[in-house]
Amino acid sequence: MNAFWKIEAWRILIFVVATLLFGAGIDNYLLAALVGSLIYLAWHLHSLARLDGWLSEYRTAEIPEGSGIWGRVYDRVRGITRHHQQDMDALHRGLERYQQTTKALPEGAVTLGPNDEIELINEAATSLLGLKVPQDVGSPITNLVRDPQFVRYIQDRKFSEALEIPSPINLHVQISIRIVPYGEVNQKLLLVSDVSRLHKLEEIRRDFIANVSHEMKSPLTVIKGYVESMMDDTSEFGLKWKKALSRVDQQTDRMCRVVEDLLQLSSLETSPAESPIPVDMPCLIRSVYSEALELSNGQHGIQLKIDETLYLAGNFNQLYSALSNLVFNAIQYTPERGRISIDWHLDQDNHARFSVRDTGPGIEHEHLPRLTERFYRVDTARSRELGGTGLGLAIVKHVLQRHEGSLAIASEPGKGSTFTCVFAPQRVVDKRVLKSSA
Ligand code: ADP
């Protein structure tokens, strides 16, 4: 038994003895026992009331002193509050260190609560996003950063890629925003950085390629014209150089195609997004199909399956270019007697899907993520031999980006490849609805 309980035991013993003496004195043990118990109970209630009083203002008041069992209780509570205070101090110091670290970050950081309300902001974020502390803390970030692209980015919750937009307070500053979800209740860390320099460099690169391509276009046309007329020359000179001229002609054609593709890519990158109009996809795909039949010249079995009611909001020429690139690749890379299936349908999630499946050579898995890079070819010599520029899939990727779509590639060496364009549900147009509203 420890000291507190010993004191309490002595106290009870003295109480009992005093009660017995009192009972003997008044010759009524029952009354004495009742009085004694009431006094003991009153003492406990008094101690309990002191504890309750202290608990109601424990942050400022000192815990009461006591003896016996109540001394023990007060001591234990004192120990718990001391530990609690130490934990709180450590937490406070940690939070302060965290705030100092994020304050020193050159990147902006904002923590968002479950409803995208601002919880913490560092200094860089205030200057890049134009937020104010403490006024903006607690407000949903989309009420303060109103750029439509940013609002859509937050709503769509597809945070795997960063978003680049002009800073809301300075349109000359380009910012990159990345969101990292964390915690169990949909909290997010928003990171924002100034990418104006990179953006400028990217702009210079795009302009440079577009200018070089433009500059090359006219000389190539002139060279092509001269080579063609020299090839028509039936004199001894013409016949002697015919083979060499034909090679020059082929290479000039290739250069022209590269220049055309580069110009198309730069226009896809730089021209502002035009408002989408419903495109008659069944008609577009059928005309790609007839070109494919011509290109294949009966060497492949080409199957076509189209949902006739499925239209898409977008740009006819761009879609034609993307879809024909995929179909012509399938024809070019699939050997004679191979099969190609073209399919256009709506999936269960309301995404429109255009897929081209072939029984060609297939592609090794390691190449798949890089296929849409400019000039990336699995077999450069073969691509050149087939008249490829190495830019076709880069064009497809850019067209799909402009149409809220993505490209999925599945391939197995020796078995063939499937290239699928997936378009977002908001781009899907039902021909029947279109007709009835016209
Ligand atoms: P290219 O002009 O060389 O065809 P693309 O960008 O269209 O350029 O394609 C990039 C590379 O992807 C090609 O060089 C080829 O190696 C590979 N590729 C594209 N489509 C297919 C296909 N259907 N089957 C096999 N390989 C393909």
Side-chain angles (χ1 to χ4, degrees):
M1 197 189 282
N2 63 39
F4 294 101
W5 284 104
K6 267 188 197 147
I7 292 174
E8 197 60 28
W10 275 110
R11 182 176 285 151
I12 292 170
L13 192 67
I14 291 166
F15 229 81
V16 170
V17 171
T19 304
L20 285 175
L21 289 176
F22 179 56
I26 60 167
D27 199 17
N28 190 340
Y29 285 103
L30 199 64
L31 183 66
L34 186 68
V35 171
S37 305
L38 282 176
I39 292 172
Y40 189 63
L41 184 66
W43 176 72
H44 274 299
L45 283 177
H46 169 72
S47 303
L48 197 61
R50 283 175 73 201
L51 179 65
D52 181 50
W54 172 78
L55 280 174
S56 64
E57 47 196 66
Y58 75 96
R59 281 179 200 277
T60 47
E62 273 291 310
I63 191 159
E65 295 288 337
S67 62
I69 179 64
W70 282 102
R72 172 77 164 167
V73 171
Y74 296 150
D75 266 6
R76 283 195 183 255
V77 174
R78 193 178 291 115
I80 291 169
T81 47
R82 197 180 308 121
H83 275 122
H84 176 67
Q85 193 54 45
Q86 280 165 356
D87 288 350
M88 289 289 283
D89 287 348
L91 206 66
H92 203 75
R93 281 195 300 276
L95 195 65
E96 239 167 39
R97 259 203 311 276
Y98 164 76
Q99 280 177 337
Q100 276 165 3
T101 321
T102 52
K103 210 171 171 181
L105 272 178
E107 312 261 315
V110 183
T111 53
L112 302 175
N115 299 314
D116 300 332
E117 71 278 13
I118 296 172
E119 286 176 347
L120 291 170
I121 317 176
N122 77 347
E123 226 163 80
T126 56
S127 55
L128 288 169
L129 294 170
L131 300 174
K132 291 185 203 81
V133 182
Q135 298 93 309
D136 294 341
V137 173
S139 307
I141 191 152
T142 41
N143 285 4
L144 304 159
V145 181
R146 288 164 174 269
D147 186 297
Q149 287 188 72
F150 176 72
V151 175
R152 206 170 328 118
Y153 181 64
I154 291 265
Q155 282 166 353
D156 290 353
R157 317 227 155 244
K158 288 182 193 149
F159 301 134
S160 52
E161 279 187 22
L163 170 76
E164 268 192 32
I165 52 167
S167 159
I169 50 163
N170 184 353
L171 294 183
H172 299 295
V173 172
Q174 191 73 9
I175 54 173
S176 165
I177 294 177
R178 181 171 276 283
I179 290 185
V180 190
Y182 72 94
E184 283 165 13
V185 284
N186 191 23
Q187 287 143 299
K188 290 167 225 81
L189 174 65
L190 182 151
L191 296 167
V192 51
S193 52
D194 182 346
V195 288
S196 308
R197 218 181 119 254
L198 269 176
H199 189 73
K200 188 81 206 145
L201 284 174
E202 183 65 13
E203 224 170 67
I204 293 171
R205 177 194 68 79
R206 278 201 298 262
D207 288 352
F208 175 75
I209 293 176
N211 291 340
V212 169
S213 312
H214 266 298
E215 291 298 327
M216 281 170 72
K217 211 174 162 180
S218 319
L220 279 171
T221 317
V222 175
I223 294 172
K224 186 151 175 61
Y226 275 114
V227 170
E228 271 170 4
S229 46
M230 283 162 85
M231 277 166 68
D232 290 341
D233 181 4
T234 48
S235 68
E236 196 186 330
F237 171 84
L239 292 172
K240 184 176 167 201
W241 289 98
K242 198 164 180 77
K243 208 169 157 200
L245 286 171
S246 140
R247 299 252 359 235
V248 175
D249 188 46
Q250 276 171 13
Q251 294 303 319
T252 319
D253 275 344
R254 211 171 72 77
M255 287 294 284
C256 286
R257 281 198 300 276
V258 170
V259 166
E260 284 301 328
D261 280 0
L262 281 174
L263 284 173
Q264 193 183 348
L265 261 178
S266 96
S267 139
L268 283 169
E269 278 183 329
T270 51
S271 63
E274 55 286 273
S275 31
I277 48 167
V279 174
D280 182 346
M281 291 296 282
C283 165
L284 184 152
I285 295 167
R286 264 194 299 276
S287 89
V288 172
Y289 173 68
S290 18
E291 271 200 66
L293 286 178
E294 256 179 59
L295 187 68
S296 159
N297 201 17
Q299 291 175 357
H300 308 91
I302 309 178
Q303 268 185 358
L304 184 66
K305 214 167 128 208
I306 302 183
D307 177 344
E308 293 293 337
T309 60
L310 188 53
Y311 282 27
L312 197 77
N315 175 299
F316 185 95
N317 291 338
Q318 289 175 13
L319 287 167
Y320 192 94
S321 161
L323 271 44
S324 58
N325 255 309
L326 295 179
V327 175
F328 299 165
N329 270 353
I331 290 173
Q332 273 168 331
Y333 291 103
T334 306
E336 237 175 280
R337 284 200 288 280
R339 287 186 314 282
I340 293 158
S341 334
I342 303 168
D343 189 50
W344 172 239
H345 72 277
L346 195 68
D347 70 10
Q348 305 104 302
D349 303 324
N350 276 334
H351 289 85
R353 286 176 173 264
F354 174 81
S355 63
V356 184
R357 200 169 67 233
D358 65 51
T359 55
I363 304 161
E364 297 277 354
H365 193 258
E366 79 237 34
H367 296 292
L368 297 183
R370 302 198 57 192
L371 282 186
T372 54
E373 286 174 22
R374 281 152 213 242
F375 298 114
Y376 189 87
R377 290 129 156 162
V378 178
D379 180 344
T380 311
R382 173 129 178 79
S383 157
R384 288 208 177 119
E385 184 192 307
L386 294 169
T389 60
L391 294 168
L393 293 181
I395 292 176
V396 174
K397 182 179 133 187
H398 275 86
V399 170
L400 294 184
Q401 270 172 2
R402 287 178 77 108
H403 285 80
E404 295 175 88
S406 57
L407 180 67
I409 310 173
S411 190
E412 222 179 298
K415 293 203 171 155
S417 318
T418 307
F419 289 77
T420 309
C421 306
V422 186
F423 297 96
Q426 60 268 30
R427 288 278 175 163
V428 171
V429 180
D430 188 328
K431 177 186 169 185
R432 293 160 296 189
V433 177
L434 202 66
K435 286 264 157 71
S436 62
S437 61

